[in-house]
Amino acid sequence: MRIHIATDHAGLEFSTQLQHHLAAAGHEVIDHGPVEFDPLDDYPAFCIRAAQAVVRDQAAGIEALGVVFGGSGNGEQIAANKVVGVRAALAWSIATAELAREHNDANVIAIGARQHTFDEASSFIDRFIATPFSGEERHARRIAQLAAYEQDGSLEPDPRATPGRPDVLDADDSSFDPEAG
């Protein structure tokens, strides 16, 4: 499988270890991160490029996933999720890594390199890569809803909307009263 990775300065040492680990497991690793340590570099462009490459490869029928990481993994996940077609999930355990693939068909995993040992983080990544999407109808339906919103802004109907009470997004004013409970 082709694995696109990206980080910033916070994950540069982790990146080198991870590239060796993934290559030893038989994966083709493409690094979109920095080439040298710069404590002032910024993760968005690195992570967005990795995410774009995942989407491009998948559209071309190439089996590919992404791994983005930094100090916490939060910003890297946010950056990757700006790319249309990416479903990036922050994983902090084996279970969250597995569920990201199994239920959400996530194609990018985000890891906090400063939050875990290398062995812990690499085990999350390995499980993410090894876990297939379940394909269950309820999960596929939800992913389709996300894709529809991403494509044209469409949402499922608001179940609270009734005649005389529009969808909260269509309302001109907010009827929410924080003191009413």
Side-chain angles (χ1 to χ4, degrees):
M1 178 177 300
R2 186 176 289 169
I3 309 294
H4 295 277
I5 67 170
T7 187
D8 62 3
H9 60 277
L12 196 55
E13 182 178 328
F14 178 84
S15 178
T16 302
Q17 288 181 283
L18 182 62
Q19 289 178 58
H20 291 295
H21 172 80
L22 293 171
H27 300 293
E28 175 188 1
V29 181
I30 300 176
D31 182 13
H32 298 271
V35 294
E36 61 185 28
F37 182 79
D38 176 357
L40 299 178
D41 67 7
D42 299 315
Y43 61 83
F46 300 131
C47 294
I48 289 169
R49 284 187 182 99
Q52 288 172 324
V54 169
V55 171
R56 186 172 48 249
D57 278 354
Q58 290 180 335
I62 299 168
E63 195 176 20
L65 292 171
V67 181
V68 296
F69 44 93
S72 71
N74 285 311
E76 293 76 18
Q77 176 198 23
I78 292 167
N81 275 319
K82 297 301 180 185
V83 175
V84 173
V86 166
R87 290 175 306 283
L90 179 65
W92 61 91
S93 67
I94 292 286
T96 57
E98 187 173 305
L99 289 170
R101 290 284 300 137
E102 191 175 90
H103 290 189
N104 306 113
D105 198 17
N107 50 8
V108 174
I109 185 174
I111 301 286
R114 291 181 177 160
Q115 310 304 310
H116 307 282
T117 66
F118 178 78
D119 289 340
E120 289 171 335
S122 62
S123 71
F124 306 160
I125 293 164
D126 290 344
R127 181 64 61 93
F128 178 81
I129 293 169
T131 303
F133 174 53
S134 72
E136 288 182 36
E137 187 279 331
R138 65 188 171 122
H139 300 307
R141 181 181 67 241
R142 294 165 185 162
I143 292 165
Q145 290 173 15
L146 293 170
Y149 179 77
E150 192 173 61
Q151 200 166 43
D152 62 18
S154 63
L155 291 172
E156 293 293 306
D158 183 346
R160 292 168 301 284
T162 59
R165 184 175 177 199
D167 185 308
V168 295
L169 296 176
D170 295 333
D172 290 337
D173 65 331
S174 173
S175 59
F176 177 71
D177 181 356
E179 295 185 17

